[in-house]
Amino acid sequence: MFEARRAGRHFLQIPGPTNVPDRVLRAMDRPTIDHRGPEFQRLARTILDGLGRIVRTRGPVIVYPSSGTGAWEAALVNTLSPGDRVVMVETGHFAALWKEMASRLGLEVLFLDGDWRSPVDPERIEDVLARDRERRIRAVAIVHNETSTGVRSDVPAVRRAIDRVGHPALLLVDTISSLASMDYRHEEWGVDVTVGASQKGLMLPPGLGFNAVSEKALAAHRQARLPRSYWDWGAMLEANAKGFFPYTPATNLLYGLAEAIAMLEEEGLERVFARHDRFAHATRAAVRAWGLEIVAREPRSFSSSLTGVFVPDGVDADRVRALVLERFDLSLGTGLGKLARRAFRIGHLGDLNEPWLLGTLAAVEAGLELAGVRLAGSGLEAAKRVLLETPAATRPAARAAAG
Ligand SMILES: *Cc1c(COP(=O)(O)O)cnc(C)c1O
């Protein structure tokens, strides 16, 4: 069927994949090279070093040609054995999917239930670990930023909970929708495996999955007995040490990754995080002005990469999304799992600026009106106020100079 071209750019305001910047698109628009040659070796070294700076580790970061789901599997099969006990927390849809994967792989999961609006509770983890006197629990696996709800959990607090009871469990953290959007520190926070992917804060198309690995995780890898082949860290680390991969990597995505890392570092990670915090703050101001409810219950756990929004009873959130797409060529995130049709999600992560955010909120506001939602006030106006009244973050260097 013929469809007329829509002018301008589609706004991809789902919480990943995100809008890919022109610079990244151009960086990938190159002939594919020999992945066993010297030019590739330079590229591999650039991206492996750069990813370490983004994840904040001096240890290895492994890159798979995969979605984030593949990187989840890699984290589990490289560190655990059949029947091992793992603690996971039901923060939302992604935590539930990771838990299902762990069960299918033959792990015994202790799944701490949740209301899909709250962060991981470190005290409950501490309690479970304290009662595990025989030390049968081998890992605690949590989602840093639950993308189905817009709830951020406190990773250092979970680390402290594990340490308070002196439990040897590994800490595995999914940072797929927080990495390069929200503050994250693999090494300083004592994380054993960080799971990431390309298509969210890193501003790349889908297709790369990451594992950052601690010394302790490497030691666990030597003992772990779950079957692994494609995902095996061993062959990866051996090849990576020479600047290569054990099988054909996603070469052109790696060109894009090198460019994305350069862009993040030109802006400065601290500024990138501050920009996301500010845009999230403006978005929440809009939601409140509309008179709608934010999915995340507690302000301390608000996500800076997306906002989940409940629609009033009797309104179908997917109808709001469909109207916004049809009339304004903008995609919003759907309500996942338990939140289907009750909520939609506004992605405000990756490569976006003030007019892009205001355009997004204007389209959402109009879509809500079209769907017959009676709005308490103008969210757009409220968001504009936040942007006018909060200064864009200054560069860390400039801030330091100013005292
Ligand atoms: C997107 C996402 C995933 C799934 O990643 P895929 O690339 O779709 O496999 C997992 N966890 C979180 C927190 C996510 O945001």
Side-chain angles (χ1 to χ4, degrees):
M1 198 185 75
F2 174 79
E3 283 198 43
R5 187 187 94 86
R6 301 192 77 155
R9 275 227 173 171
H10 176 69
F11 273 41
L12 185 63
Q13 301 319 124
I14 60 178
T18 64
N19 298 287
V20 180
D22 294 354
R23 267 179 68 177
V24 170
L25 291 172
R26 283 198 296 267
M28 294 187 299
D29 182 9
R30 302 175 60 166
T32 300
I33 55 169
D34 173 12
H35 60 286
R36 307 204 192 276
E39 189 184 342
F40 182 86
Q41 207 174 20
R42 282 191 292 275
L43 173 64
R45 294 209 157 116
T46 301
I47 60 110
L48 292 173
D49 286 353
L51 273 177
R53 295 191 300 273
I54 303 294
V55 184
R56 298 201 175 170
T57 180
R58 284 165 295 177
V61 185
I62 287 160
V63 182
Y64 297 103
S66 79
S67 82
T69 303
W72 267 349
E73 181 161 337
L76 298 175
V77 299
N78 278 288
T79 55
L80 298 164
S81 300
D84 275 357
R85 287 204 174 166
V86 180
V87 177
M88 297 175 115
V89 185
E90 187 193 6
T91 44
H93 187 67
F94 288 101
L97 289 177
W98 199 11
K99 176 243 171 191
E100 278 170 34
M101 170 188 275
S103 301
R104 279 196 300 269
L105 288 171
L107 299 167
E108 197 183 309
V109 184
L110 279 145
F111 199 41
L112 307 181
D113 64 342
D115 65 357
W116 289 48
R117 301 187 66 179
S118 308
V120 171
D121 177 356
E123 283 179 22
R124 275 179 82 193
I125 292 184
E126 183 172 345
D127 195 46
V128 168
L129 295 179
R131 281 187 278 115
D132 179 38
R133 294 195 202 293
E134 290 163 30
R135 301 300 192 232
R136 291 190 52 206
I137 294 168
R138 305 307 294 261
V140 173
I142 58 170
V143 176
H144 180 211
N145 184 65
E146 177 52 74
T147 322
S148 62
T149 60
V151 172
R152 163 190 358 213
S153 288
D154 186 343
V155 176
V158 173
R159 175 79 263 169
R160 286 193 296 272
I162 298 171
D163 292 347
R164 266 198 298 275
V165 289
H167 200 289
L170 295 167
L171 177 57
L172 316 182
V173 182
D174 170 344
T175 67
I176 295 176
S177 65
S178 55
L179 196 63
S181 304
M182 287 153 53
D183 191 19
Y184 184 78
R185 300 150 193 257
H186 172 91
E187 204 167 286
E188 190 183 319
W189 292 358
V191 177
D192 293 301
V193 186
T194 293
V195 176
S198 55
Q199 75 272 28
K200 301 189 183 182
L202 281 168
M203 311 179 288
L204 292 162
L208 298 177
F210 312 110
N211 277 177
V213 178
S214 74
E215 284 289 337
K216 191 170 152 190
L218 283 175
H221 169 260
R222 289 189 280 275
Q223 312 293 327
R225 284 177 292 102
L226 278 177
R228 60 185 191 228
S229 168
Y230 183 80
W231 304 115
D232 192 357
W233 290 343
M236 271 288 188
L237 291 172
E238 208 179 301
N240 284 176
K242 302 186 197 91
F244 295 114
F245 282 70
Y247 42 73
T248 315
T251 308
N252 290 56
L253 280 172
L254 300 184
Y255 280 130
L257 178 57
E259 190 69 17
I261 293 169
M263 289 172 70
L264 289 165
E265 293 188 325
E266 284 167 28
E267 186 175 353
L269 275 183
E270 293 307 321
R271 266 169 75 103
V272 171
F273 301 149
R275 174 166 57 81
H276 284 82
D277 290 344
R278 184 164 168 259
F279 288 1
H281 183 187
T283 303
R284 291 191 298 269
V287 175
R288 291 195 194 96
W290 290 326
L292 299 180
E293 198 178 347
I294 294 166
V295 174
R297 253 187 229 288
E298 306 165 24
R300 70 184 169 95
S301 69
F302 285 148
S303 165
S304 290
S305 55
L306 76 134
T307 302
V309 183
F310 281 115
V311 291
D313 287 341
V315 176
D316 179 349
D318 280 342
R319 175 152 164 75
V320 176
R321 291 178 49 252
L323 286 165
V324 171
L325 177 61
E326 193 181 299
R327 296 289 292 272
F328 301 109
D329 200 19
L330 181 147
S331 294
L332 291 169
T334 188
L336 292 169
K338 291 184 189 176
L339 300 179
R341 301 193 158 229
R342 294 173 54 214
F344 64 85
R345 296 167 299 144
I346 305 171
H348 34 73
L349 73 165
D351 190 43
L352 75 165
N353 58 13
E354 284 86 350
W356 197 291
L357 180 74
L358 290 171
T360 297
L361 295 173
V364 176
E365 183 165 302
L368 288 164
E369 277 182 37
L370 283 168
V373 179
R374 294 178 67 118
L375 301 176
S378 169
L380 190 55
E381 186 57 33
K384 189 180 78 188
R385 284 287 133 223
V386 169
L387 295 181
L388 286 173
E389 283 159 19
T390 61
T394 45
R395 276 181 181 285
R399 214 189 293 155

PDB file of all heavy atoms in Angstrom, residues 10 62 64 86 103 123 127 133 157-158 162 198 203 248 260 277 299 304 313 316-318 361 365 402:
ATOM      1  N   HIS A  10      10.921  11.340  12.379  1.00  0.00           N
ATOM      2  CA  HIS A  10      10.123  10.602  13.348  1.00  0.00           C
ATOM      3  C   HIS A  10      10.737  10.822  14.725  1.00  0.00           C
ATOM      4  O   HIS A  10      11.963  10.817  14.867  1.00  0.00           O
ATOM      5  CB  HIS A  10      10.135   9.115  12.988  1.00  0.00           C
ATOM      6  CG  HIS A  10       9.431   8.255  13.982  1.00  0.00           C
ATOM      7  ND1 HIS A  10       8.063   8.303  14.150  1.00  0.00           N
ATOM      8  CD2 HIS A  10       9.889   7.358  14.882  1.00  0.00           C
ATOM      9  CE1 HIS A  10       7.718   7.452  15.108  1.00  0.00           C
ATOM     10  NE2 HIS A  10       8.810   6.871  15.570  1.00  0.00           N
ATOM     11  N   ILE A  62      33.203  -7.031  27.828  1.00  0.00           N
ATOM     12  CA  ILE A  62      33.015  -7.954  26.704  1.00  0.00           C
ATOM     13  C   ILE A  62      31.871  -7.435  25.838  1.00  0.00           C
ATOM     14  O   ILE A  62      30.860  -6.961  26.355  1.00  0.00           O
ATOM     15  CB  ILE A  62      32.752  -9.365  27.259  1.00  0.00           C
ATOM     16  CG1 ILE A  62      34.086  -9.911  27.802  1.00  0.00           C
ATOM     17  CG2 ILE A  62      32.166 -10.288  26.191  1.00  0.00           C
ATOM     18  CD1 ILE A  62      33.955 -11.027  28.756  1.00  0.00           C
ATOM     19  N   TYR A  64      29.258  -8.353  22.730  1.00  0.00           N
ATOM     20  CA  TYR A  64      28.651  -9.390  21.886  1.00  0.00           C
ATOM     21  C   TYR A  64      27.843  -8.771  20.759  1.00  0.00           C
ATOM     22  O   TYR A  64      27.208  -7.737  20.961  1.00  0.00           O
ATOM     23  CB  TYR A  64      27.670 -10.242  22.710  1.00  0.00           C
ATOM     24  CG  TYR A  64      28.283 -11.014  23.839  1.00  0.00           C
ATOM     25  CD1 TYR A  64      28.140 -10.569  25.152  1.00  0.00           C
ATOM     26  CD2 TYR A  64      28.985 -12.192  23.605  1.00  0.00           C
ATOM     27  CE1 TYR A  64      28.692 -11.279  26.211  1.00  0.00           C
ATOM     28  CE2 TYR A  64      29.541 -12.902  24.663  1.00  0.00           C
ATOM     29  CZ  TYR A  64      29.389 -12.443  25.951  1.00  0.00           C
ATOM     30  OH  TYR A  64      29.937 -13.145  26.997  1.00  0.00           O
ATOM     31  N   VAL A  86      19.833 -18.012  43.181  1.00  0.00           N
ATOM     32  CA  VAL A  86      20.027 -16.610  42.784  1.00  0.00           C
ATOM     33  C   VAL A  86      18.877 -15.797  43.378  1.00  0.00           C
ATOM     34  O   VAL A  86      17.728 -16.225  43.328  1.00  0.00           O
ATOM     35  CB  VAL A  86      20.001 -16.480  41.243  1.00  0.00           C
ATOM     36  CG1 VAL A  86      20.197 -15.038  40.824  1.00  0.00           C
ATOM     37  CG2 VAL A  86      21.055 -17.368  40.602  1.00  0.00           C
ATOM     38  N   SER A 103      15.423 -19.149  35.456  1.00  0.00           N
ATOM     39  CA  SER A 103      14.738 -20.410  35.778  1.00  0.00           C
ATOM     40  C   SER A 103      14.898 -21.403  34.635  1.00  0.00           C
ATOM     41  O   SER A 103      15.174 -22.586  34.854  1.00  0.00           O
ATOM     42  CB  SER A 103      13.246 -20.171  36.035  1.00  0.00           C
ATOM     43  OG  SER A 103      13.094 -19.263  37.091  1.00  0.00           O
ATOM     44  N   GLU A 123      17.162  -3.868  52.319  1.00  0.00           N
ATOM     45  CA  GLU A 123      16.982  -4.560  53.600  1.00  0.00           C
ATOM     46  C   GLU A 123      16.421  -5.968  53.418  1.00  0.00           C
ATOM     47  O   GLU A 123      16.778  -6.888  54.156  1.00  0.00           O
ATOM     48  CB  GLU A 123      16.063  -3.753  54.517  1.00  0.00           C
ATOM     49  CG  GLU A 123      16.812  -2.585  55.120  1.00  0.00           C
ATOM     50  CD  GLU A 123      15.940  -1.728  56.020  1.00  0.00           C
ATOM     51  OE1 GLU A 123      14.910  -2.232  56.517  1.00  0.00           O
ATOM     52  OE2 GLU A 123      16.307  -0.561  56.212  1.00  0.00           O
ATOM     53  N   ASP A 127      18.215  -9.371  54.553  1.00  0.00           N
ATOM     54  CA  ASP A 127      17.506 -10.353  55.356  1.00  0.00           C
ATOM     55  C   ASP A 127      17.617 -11.757  54.757  1.00  0.00           C
ATOM     56  O   ASP A 127      17.923 -12.728  55.457  1.00  0.00           O
ATOM     57  CB  ASP A 127      16.035  -9.888  55.384  1.00  0.00           C
ATOM     58  CG  ASP A 127      15.257 -10.579  56.451  1.00  0.00           C
ATOM     59  OD1 ASP A 127      15.799 -10.646  57.575  1.00  0.00           O
ATOM     60  OD2 ASP A 127      14.139 -11.052  56.164  1.00  0.00           O
ATOM     61  N   ARG A 133      22.541 -19.298  55.910  1.00  0.00           N
ATOM     62  CA  ARG A 133      23.739 -19.603  56.692  1.00  0.00           C
ATOM     63  C   ARG A 133      24.691 -20.554  55.984  1.00  0.00           C
ATOM     64  O   ARG A 133      25.897 -20.530  56.206  1.00  0.00           O
ATOM     65  CB  ARG A 133      23.344 -20.192  58.045  1.00  0.00           C
ATOM     66  CG  ARG A 133      22.620 -19.165  58.881  1.00  0.00           C
ATOM     67  CD  ARG A 133      22.519 -19.564  60.339  1.00  0.00           C
ATOM     68  NE  ARG A 133      21.423 -18.856  60.983  1.00  0.00           N
ATOM     69  CZ  ARG A 133      21.422 -17.534  61.195  1.00  0.00           C
ATOM     70  NH1 ARG A 133      22.458 -16.796  60.865  1.00  0.00           N
ATOM     71  NH2 ARG A 133      20.382 -16.954  61.757  1.00  0.00           N
ATOM     72  N   ALA A 157      23.615   0.749  47.657  1.00  0.00           N
ATOM     73  CA  ALA A 157      22.929   0.300  48.880  1.00  0.00           C
ATOM     74  C   ALA A 157      22.778  -1.224  48.882  1.00  0.00           C
ATOM     75  O   ALA A 157      22.851  -1.854  49.942  1.00  0.00           O
ATOM     76  CB  ALA A 157      21.561   0.969  48.997  1.00  0.00           C
ATOM     77  N   VAL A 158      22.587  -1.813  47.712  1.00  0.00           N
ATOM     78  CA  VAL A 158      22.499  -3.282  47.637  1.00  0.00           C
ATOM     79  C   VAL A 158      23.872  -3.890  47.926  1.00  0.00           C
ATOM     80  O   VAL A 158      23.989  -4.874  48.656  1.00  0.00           O
ATOM     81  CB  VAL A 158      21.958  -3.730  46.253  1.00  0.00           C
ATOM     82  CG1 VAL A 158      22.031  -5.242  46.101  1.00  0.00           C
ATOM     83  CG2 VAL A 158      20.521  -3.228  46.053  1.00  0.00           C
ATOM     84  N   ILE A 162      24.815  -6.544  51.002  1.00  0.00           N
ATOM     85  CA  ILE A 162      25.519  -7.826  50.845  1.00  0.00           C
ATOM     86  C   ILE A 162      26.735  -7.858  51.771  1.00  0.00           C
ATOM     87  O   ILE A 162      26.999  -8.850  52.452  1.00  0.00           O
ATOM     88  CB  ILE A 162      25.945  -8.033  49.366  1.00  0.00           C
ATOM     89  CG1 ILE A 162      24.714  -8.077  48.444  1.00  0.00           C
ATOM     90  CG2 ILE A 162      26.781  -9.306  49.214  1.00  0.00           C
ATOM     91  CD1 ILE A 162      25.052  -8.063  46.945  1.00  0.00           C
ATOM     92  N   SER A 198      23.469  -1.650  23.382  1.00  0.00           N
ATOM     93  CA  SER A 198      23.855  -0.482  22.584  1.00  0.00           C
ATOM     94  C   SER A 198      22.757   0.549  22.370  1.00  0.00           C
ATOM     95  O   SER A 198      23.022   1.721  22.149  1.00  0.00           O
ATOM     96  CB  SER A 198      24.344  -0.958  21.212  1.00  0.00           C
ATOM     97  OG  SER A 198      23.359  -1.769  20.573  1.00  0.00           O
ATOM     98  N   MET A 203      23.008   5.444  22.358  1.00  0.00           N
ATOM     99  CA  MET A 203      22.610   6.148  21.124  1.00  0.00           C
ATOM    100  C   MET A 203      22.907   5.373  19.840  1.00  0.00           C
ATOM    101  O   MET A 203      22.989   5.960  18.767  1.00  0.00           O
ATOM    102  CB  MET A 203      23.283   7.535  21.039  1.00  0.00           C
ATOM    103  CG  MET A 203      23.165   8.361  22.295  1.00  0.00           C
ATOM    104  SD  MET A 203      23.980   9.973  22.181  1.00  0.00           S
ATOM    105  CE  MET A 203      25.719   9.522  22.212  1.00  0.00           C
ATOM    106  N   THR A 248      32.926 -13.403  14.085  1.00  0.00           N
ATOM    107  CA  THR A 248      32.756 -12.125  13.389  1.00  0.00           C
ATOM    108  C   THR A 248      31.991 -11.126  14.256  1.00  0.00           C
ATOM    109  O   THR A 248      30.846 -11.387  14.629  1.00  0.00           O
ATOM    110  CB  THR A 248      32.000 -12.320  12.060  1.00  0.00           C
ATOM    111  OG1 THR A 248      32.552 -13.453  11.401  1.00  0.00           O
ATOM    112  CG2 THR A 248      32.119 -11.088  11.191  1.00  0.00           C
ATOM    113  N   ALA A 260      30.008   7.157  19.275  1.00  0.00           N
ATOM    114  CA  ALA A 260      29.118   7.463  20.405  1.00  0.00           C
ATOM    115  C   ALA A 260      29.932   7.737  21.668  1.00  0.00           C
ATOM    116  O   ALA A 260      29.625   8.670  22.425  1.00  0.00           O
ATOM    117  CB  ALA A 260      28.141   6.312  20.635  1.00  0.00           C
ATOM    118  N   ASP A 277      18.913  14.245  34.015  1.00  0.00           N
ATOM    119  CA  ASP A 277      18.197  14.565  35.265  1.00  0.00           C
ATOM    120  C   ASP A 277      17.243  15.741  35.032  1.00  0.00           C
ATOM    121  O   ASP A 277      16.093  15.728  35.482  1.00  0.00           O
ATOM    122  CB  ASP A 277      19.192  14.980  36.371  1.00  0.00           C
ATOM    123  CG  ASP A 277      20.047  13.822  36.865  1.00  0.00           C
ATOM    124  OD1 ASP A 277      19.693  12.659  36.592  1.00  0.00           O
ATOM    125  OD2 ASP A 277      21.075  14.094  37.520  1.00  0.00           O
ATOM    126  N   PRO A 299      10.091   9.637  45.112  1.00  0.00           N
ATOM    127  CA  PRO A 299      10.972  10.569  44.393  1.00  0.00           C
ATOM    128  C   PRO A 299      12.429  10.111  44.337  1.00  0.00           C
ATOM    129  O   PRO A 299      13.093  10.315  43.337  1.00  0.00           O
ATOM    130  CB  PRO A 299      10.822  11.869  45.191  1.00  0.00           C
ATOM    131  CG  PRO A 299       9.447  11.781  45.776  1.00  0.00           C
ATOM    132  CD  PRO A 299       9.216  10.320  46.067  1.00  0.00           C
ATOM    133  N   SER A 304      15.936   8.857  35.443  1.00  0.00           N
ATOM    134  CA  SER A 304      16.221  10.026  34.602  1.00  0.00           C
ATOM    135  C   SER A 304      16.186   9.683  33.118  1.00  0.00           C
ATOM    136  O   SER A 304      16.378  10.554  32.276  1.00  0.00           O
ATOM    137  CB  SER A 304      17.580  10.622  34.973  1.00  0.00           C
ATOM    138  OG  SER A 304      17.473  11.227  36.241  1.00  0.00           O
ATOM    139  N   ASP A 313      -8.599   6.051  34.813  1.00  0.00           N
ATOM    140  CA  ASP A 313      -9.477   4.903  34.579  1.00  0.00           C
ATOM    141  C   ASP A 313     -10.396   5.193  33.403  1.00  0.00           C
ATOM    142  O   ASP A 313     -10.875   6.318  33.252  1.00  0.00           O
ATOM    143  CB  ASP A 313     -10.325   4.617  35.826  1.00  0.00           C
ATOM    144  CG  ASP A 313      -9.488   3.998  36.933  1.00  0.00           C
ATOM    145  OD1 ASP A 313      -8.398   3.464  36.625  1.00  0.00           O
ATOM    146  OD2 ASP A 313      -9.906   4.081  38.104  1.00  0.00           O
ATOM    147  N   ASP A 316      -7.602   4.178  27.531  1.00  0.00           N
ATOM    148  CA  ASP A 316      -6.675   3.137  27.103  1.00  0.00           C
ATOM    149  C   ASP A 316      -5.346   3.799  26.711  1.00  0.00           C
ATOM    150  O   ASP A 316      -5.299   4.591  25.761  1.00  0.00           O
ATOM    151  CB  ASP A 316      -7.301   2.396  25.903  1.00  0.00           C
ATOM    152  CG  ASP A 316      -6.397   1.300  25.364  1.00  0.00           C
ATOM    153  OD1 ASP A 316      -5.210   1.238  25.756  1.00  0.00           O
ATOM    154  OD2 ASP A 316      -6.890   0.502  24.540  1.00  0.00           O
ATOM    155  N   ALA A 317      -4.299   3.482  27.458  1.00  0.00           N
ATOM    156  CA  ALA A 317      -2.998   4.124  27.205  1.00  0.00           C
ATOM    157  C   ALA A 317      -2.511   3.846  25.781  1.00  0.00           C
ATOM    158  O   ALA A 317      -1.839   4.686  25.168  1.00  0.00           O
ATOM    159  CB  ALA A 317      -1.973   3.637  28.224  1.00  0.00           C
ATOM    160  N   ASP A 318      -2.858   2.668  25.243  1.00  0.00           N
ATOM    161  CA  ASP A 318      -2.413   2.353  23.882  1.00  0.00           C
ATOM    162  C   ASP A 318      -3.150   3.203  22.841  1.00  0.00           C
ATOM    163  O   ASP A 318      -2.637   3.432  21.744  1.00  0.00           O
ATOM    164  CB  ASP A 318      -2.572   0.858  23.582  1.00  0.00           C
ATOM    165  CG  ASP A 318      -1.418   0.049  24.171  1.00  0.00           C
ATOM    166  OD1 ASP A 318      -0.376   0.669  24.489  1.00  0.00           O
ATOM    167  OD2 ASP A 318      -1.553  -1.178  24.316  1.00  0.00           O
ATOM    168  N   LEU A 361       6.772  16.584  24.597  1.00  0.00           N
ATOM    169  CA  LEU A 361       5.721  16.814  25.601  1.00  0.00           C
ATOM    170  C   LEU A 361       4.502  17.488  24.980  1.00  0.00           C
ATOM    171  O   LEU A 361       3.360  17.198  25.367  1.00  0.00           O
ATOM    172  CB  LEU A 361       6.288  17.624  26.766  1.00  0.00           C
ATOM    173  CG  LEU A 361       7.386  16.887  27.555  1.00  0.00           C
ATOM    174  CD1 LEU A 361       8.030  17.817  28.589  1.00  0.00           C
ATOM    175  CD2 LEU A 361       6.842  15.623  28.233  1.00  0.00           C
ATOM    176  N   GLU A 365       0.819  15.932  25.148  1.00  0.00           N
ATOM    177  CA  GLU A 365      -0.305  16.730  25.668  1.00  0.00           C
ATOM    178  C   GLU A 365      -1.470  16.739  24.665  1.00  0.00           C
ATOM    179  O   GLU A 365      -2.634  16.514  25.025  1.00  0.00           O
ATOM    180  CB  GLU A 365       0.174  18.160  25.947  1.00  0.00           C
ATOM    181  CG  GLU A 365      -0.877  19.048  26.557  1.00  0.00           C
ATOM    182  CD  GLU A 365      -0.256  20.320  27.155  1.00  0.00           C
ATOM    183  OE1 GLU A 365       0.621  20.219  28.048  1.00  0.00           O
ATOM    184  OE2 GLU A 365      -0.629  21.425  26.728  1.00  0.00           O
ATOM    185  N   ALA A 402      35.017  27.588  39.022  1.00  0.00           N
ATOM    186  CA  ALA A 402      34.159  28.537  39.741  1.00  0.00           C
ATOM    187  C   ALA A 402      34.093  28.195  41.230  1.00  0.00           C
ATOM    188  O   ALA A 402      33.419  28.864  41.994  1.00  0.00           O
ATOM    189  CB  ALA A 402      32.772  28.537  39.123  1.00  0.00           C
TER     190      ALA A 402
END
